[in-house]
Amino acid sequence: MRHDVEFDAEGVTLRAWLYLPDGATGPVPAIVMAHGFSAVKEMYLDTFAEVFAGAGMAALVFDHRNFGASDGEPRQEIDPWAQVRDYRHAITYVRTRQEVDGDRLGIWGTSYSGGHVLVVGAIDRRVKCVVAQVPLISGHHNSRRLVRSDFVASVREAFDADREARFRGEPPAMIPVVDEDPMAASALPTPDSWAFFTETGASRAPSWRNEVTLRSVEMFWEYEPGAYLPYISPTPLLLVVARGDHLTVSDLAIEAIESAREPKRLAILPGAHFDAYVEGFDAASGVARDWFAAHLTRAG
């Protein structure tokens, strides 16, 4: 059963799908979920939510502010800290639902939001279980993998020029999320990013737009969610890494798990960053489902 719902996030209306398991006889555990950088919930999050609901758990799948069905201005701007706060608003909302056991809540994130759930899991003890799929660990180190070293100075100059233009009252500069030419200016300059976003946007997610504010990229460079890894414990943490991931590069995530405390698990799956949504979906959704089921069978 899927219901269209909405909730207030300190003055901004966020819109979501609430999945409820068939035949539930009492309050059930719930998973709060959102997508990654610029993505909207129609980009395969329904399939993950259906797996969780099939295992007896509710799932709240929301669009980030400024994207998709949710309100918020400026449109197409990604502020990671605003998105972290909105995860917490979503947790607050789902705890009001009579179908949900508010003491058995998990959070799931992927890519950029895979970083967000590391932060939320460390600072919000209402969360009893965390799954971070192909997560961003370090904006600084990840950007150095995505941007050639001889381009870094010009990118920083663009950030500074945009900041000064906004100070003069001009609208924020925009940049494509993806470009067919990986050498062209874009937020995610990899061929598999171009393929996933353009193909999935056309086939499943007409609300997705191929642009974000340049300031969104600057905030990506500044964001360090991996710094929160040591503080998630004793909340159970599952890190799902794609062996061939060169977008949120796999070796950074594999190295980072060492700084997390128990209980934790590292699951390394075959394939690249976007394979978890389609080709590797069964493995990615299955390991997350089993982790949630193991740790949300009773209140933490």
Side-chain angles (χ1 to χ4, degrees):
M1 296 175 60
R2 187 175 92 183
H3 305 273
D4 293 329
V5 299
E6 60 184 45
F7 57 95
D8 177 68
E10 295 184 329
V12 175
T13 299
L14 304 185
R15 295 184 175 86
W17 295 325
L18 178 63
Y19 286 79
L20 297 171
D22 294 334
T25 57
V28 297
I31 314 302
V32 173
M33 309 170 56
H35 222 312
F37 192 94
S38 88
V40 294
K41 62 186 183 299
E42 289 82 3
M43 290 175 153
Y44 293 106
L45 291 201
D46 52 336
T47 58
F48 282 89
E50 288 166 1
V51 167
F52 300 153
M57 296 172 281
L60 181 73
V61 187
F62 70 96
D63 274 333
H64 293 295
R65 65 175 59 214
N66 309 339
F67 288 86
S70 290
D71 292 347
E73 298 289 342
R75 300 303 291 177
Q76 304 303 117
E77 178 153 291
I78 306 169
D79 179 339
W81 290 107
Q83 293 186 349
V84 163
R85 289 191 294 272
D86 286 342
Y87 258 96
R88 303 187 75 186
H89 293 313
I91 290 166
T92 300
Y93 165 71
V94 82
R95 281 168 55 90
T96 70
R97 300 289 305 205
Q98 64 180 3
E99 307 96 333
V100 167
D101 181 346
D103 291 325
R104 294 189 290 164
L105 298 182
I107 51 174
W108 179 98
T110 184
S111 194
Y112 208 33
S113 69
H116 300 344
V117 298
L118 301 179
V119 180
V120 176
I123 63 180
D124 196 325
R125 291 302 170 191
R126 297 175 298 177
V127 172
K128 299 301 189 292
C129 191
V130 179
V131 174
Q133 175 178 284
V134 293
L136 175 74
I137 297 297
S138 166
H140 177 84
H141 290 295
N142 215 105
S143 64
R144 294 306 184 271
R145 300 293 189 90
L146 294 175
V147 179
R148 274 178 34 177
S149 59
D150 55 331
F151 289 177
V152 169
S154 62
V155 173
R156 289 200 174 279
E157 289 170 2
F159 292 161
D160 294 341
D162 178 49
R163 184 173 295 278
E164 293 178 3
R166 298 195 316 268
F167 185 80
R168 294 191 298 268
E170 298 174 23
M174 307 298 289
I175 187 172
V177 178
V178 293
D179 193 285
E180 189 171 15
D181 179 2
M183 297 301 292
S186 68
L188 306 176
T190 67
D192 57 343
S193 297
W194 165 260
F196 175 81
F197 278 102
T198 56
E199 293 169 8
T200 309
S203 64
R204 294 178 59 97
S207 68
W208 179 77
R209 289 166 52 187
N210 187 19
E211 63 175 0
V212 292
T213 63
L214 183 60
R215 178 166 48 183
S216 301
V217 180
E218 184 177 21
M219 288 187 281
F220 176 104
W221 282 35
E222 299 166 349
Y223 187 42
E224 297 294 321
Y228 287 81
L229 275 163
Y231 313 121
I232 296 171
S233 177
T235 303
L237 168 66
L238 170 65
L239 218 61
V240 181
V241 176
R243 185 183 303 276
D245 194 340
H246 52 259
L247 183 60
T248 54
V249 288
S250 56
D251 60 290
L252 291 180
I254 293 169
E255 179 183 17
I257 192 69
E258 298 300 323
S259 67
R261 310 294 185 238
E262 297 291 346
K264 64 182 178 181
R265 180 186 172 193
L266 173 65
I268 301 177
L269 305 182
H273 185 86
F274 296 99
D275 287 335
Y277 305 108
V278 185
E279 292 89 347
F281 168 75
D282 289 343
S285 62
V287 71
R289 175 202 62 216
D290 294 348
W291 188 254
F292 285 133
H295 294 286
L296 298 178
T297 54
R298 62 183 184 277

